[in-house]
Amino acid sequence: MKSAPIPEGWPELLRCTTTKPPPILLDELIAEILLRIPARSLVRLRNSVCSSWRTLISSSQFAKDHLRRSMAADPALTHPCIAYYSSRYSYPTIGVFSIRSVFENRPHEPTKVVAYEGRRHRLIIGSCNGLLCLHDNERAMLWNPCTGFTSQPLEIGGIFYVSGFGYDHVNDKYKLFLIEEKKSGSVTRIFTFGPNSTWRTIQDFPYRLHDPNNKAILMNTVGHFVSGTGTLNWLLCSGLTSFVAVLSLDLVKETYSQICLPSRDSDDDLSVFPELATLRGCLAVCYETKKTHWTLWIMKEYGLPHSWTKLAIIPCHPLLLDPPLNSALEPMYMLKNDVLLVNSPNGKFVLCNLNDGSINFPNIDSSGDGMTKLRPLSRCSGPRIFHIYHESLVSPWHFGLPSCSSEMRLVKPSL
C-alpha cells in the first residue's frame, strides 16, 4: 500500500519543527502559570518536573504567593476542606472531606471522608493558611494535610482549657496561645513556631475561667482565627441577660480587646446560645430569634461594631430542631452563590439556599474514618469537632521547623 502524499509545504514545516529548539518560557511567565494551578495538583507535579520548577514550587515565597493569589481570586479554588476528630473517644484518626464535593455532588454521589492516622489521639487546636495545629496533651505539631508534611512534635506539656492557633502577618510568625492550669493558678502563654521556638508568658486572659462571679460564659474554648486581622476570637454570652460580646486577642500586639455584637431581641430565648464563626474571611454570629428563625450577622470591617450587617434570615425548619437543643445554627462555609453550609442544632449538616429558602441534606460517607463507635456523619455530626482549612503549599520547614512526613499517614480504604 502506498503512503499518502505529503501536502505541499509540509516538508518545510517539518524541517522547521525538527531543527529549531522549542521556545523558552521566561521564569516570570512560568511562575505566573504555576500560581494558577491548585495546590493539590502542584503537590502531585512536584516530583515529576524539572529541578528548577521543583525548587520554585517548594519555596516559601511561592507558597505565600500561591496562597495569597488563590484566596484573593476565590477561596473555593483552594479546595476548602473540613477536618475533624472525635471529642468522646480517643481514636488516632482525623477525618477530612471536601467542602466543594458537599456543595457540588448530587444526592446519590456521596462525599467521601478520607482518614489520616497518627500514633496517638490528637486534638485540633486550630487551622490557618492550610496548616492544622495538633495536640496530644503533651506535644504540639503543625500538619499540612495537602502536602503531607508535619513538624516534629514539640514538648509543651500542661493542662489547658483555652487555646488558639493563628498567624501574625506583620512579623510572619505562626503562634499558639494557651491558658495553662497549674496548682498556683492559670498562666497565659504564647508559643511562636520557628527555629528558636520558645514559650513566653503574656498578659493574663481577661476572663477568669472558674470565677463564680462571672456574668457571662466563655462559649468557645478554642479561639476563632480571622485571616488578615491576626486575631483570635472567643464568644462571651450570658444565659440570664441579653449580654453578648467577642473577646479578641491581637497576635501581633499580643493585647486583648472586647467587641460589641448585634443586640439580641428582648423576646429571644436567652437559654439558646449564639454561635460564633468566620465566613468569607469575616467574623460572623448567628442568633435564634423568637423561636421562629435564625439571624446571621457578618462583620464586614473587623473591630468596627457599626459594620455588623444582617446577612440572612433562615427559618427554623422542624427537621433542623428535632430534638431541640440549646444552641443556634452553626455557620460553616458559604459560596458566592449564597448557599450556606451549616451544622444544625440537632447535629446534621445542611445546605441552606439563602435565595429561595430551600434546604438539602448532603450525603457524606464517613464509613472510612475509623471512628467506629460514632454514628455516620449523614445522620449526626456529634461528637466530633470540626475545623475548616484551605489547601496550601505552606510547610513547617518554610519557617525553620524540622519536618517529616511520617507522623500522619493516609489510611487506604478497605476493598
Side-chain angles (χ1 to χ4, degrees), residues 163-164 205 218 220-227 229-236 245-250 257 259 276-278 283 299 302-303:
S163 61
F205 197 59
L218 191 70
N220 54 299
T221 57
V222 175
H224 290 268
F225 178 71
V226 180
S227 181
T229 69
T231 62
L232 293 170
N233 300 270
W234 294 265
L235 177 63
L236 290 173
V246 168
L247 184 58
S248 172
L249 167 64
D250 186 325
S257 61
I259 303 172
L276 193 67
T278 56
L283 201 63
M299 194 179 215
Y302 184 84

Side-chain angles (χ1 to χ4, degrees), residues 122 132-134 139-143 150-153 407-408:
R122 287 188 170 98
L132 298 178
C133 183
L134 309 182
R139 303 182 300 173
M141 71 178 188
L142 303 183
W143 172 45
T150 64
S151 64
Q152 290 185 0
E407 283 290 333
M408 297 299 295

Side-chain angles (χ1 to χ4, degrees), residues 15-176:
R15 187 162 52 252
C16 291
T17 57
T18 55
T19 58
K20 290 185 178 180
I24 298 175
L25 294 176
L26 297 175
D27 290 343
E28 293 82 0
L29 183 57
I30 292 173
E32 186 66 23
I33 293 171
L34 294 176
L35 284 171
R36 297 171 183 268
I37 300 175
R40 62 169 61 183
S41 299
L42 289 173
V43 170
R44 296 191 191 103
L45 287 172
R46 188 163 51 191
N47 295 325
S48 58
V49 295
C50 63
S51 59
S52 61
W53 287 25
R54 185 162 57 250
T55 300
L56 174 63
I57 294 170
S58 302
S59 70
S60 171
Q61 189 58 51
F62 183 85
K64 292 178 184 177
D65 293 343
H66 185 273
L67 179 67
R68 188 182 305 112
R69 182 188 182 94
S70 301
M71 296 297 288
D74 183 359
L77 297 177
T78 61
H79 288 281
C81 297
I82 292 180
Y84 66 88
Y85 67 94
S86 169
S87 58
R88 180 176 298 172
Y89 304 104
S90 298
Y91 293 112
T93 54
I94 289 177
V96 173
F97 61 94
S98 165
I99 291 179
R100 286 182 62 180
S101 293
V102 171
F103 280 94
E104 296 173 2
N105 284 10
R106 297 177 180 179
H108 66 277
E109 298 174 329
T111 294
K112 291 281 188 179
V113 173
V114 297
Y116 293 86
E117 187 174 41
R119 298 175 181 175
R120 54 182 59 85
H121 175 65
R122 287 188 170 98
L123 316 178
I124 303 174
I125 292 180
S127 66
C128 174
N129 294 346
L131 297 172
L132 298 178
C133 183
L134 309 182
H135 183 257
D136 64 4
N137 293 327
E138 295 180 357
R139 303 182 300 173
M141 71 178 188
L142 303 183
W143 172 45
N144 184 326
C146 181
T147 64
F149 287 103
T150 64
S151 64
Q152 290 185 0
L154 302 167
E155 299 287 341
I156 59 174
I159 299 174
F160 59 88
Y161 296 98
V162 178
S163 61
F165 169 67
Y167 177 61
D168 170 357
H169 58 285
V170 174
N171 299 299
D172 191 23
K173 300 292 184 182
Y174 290 88
K175 295 181 177 180
L176 171 62

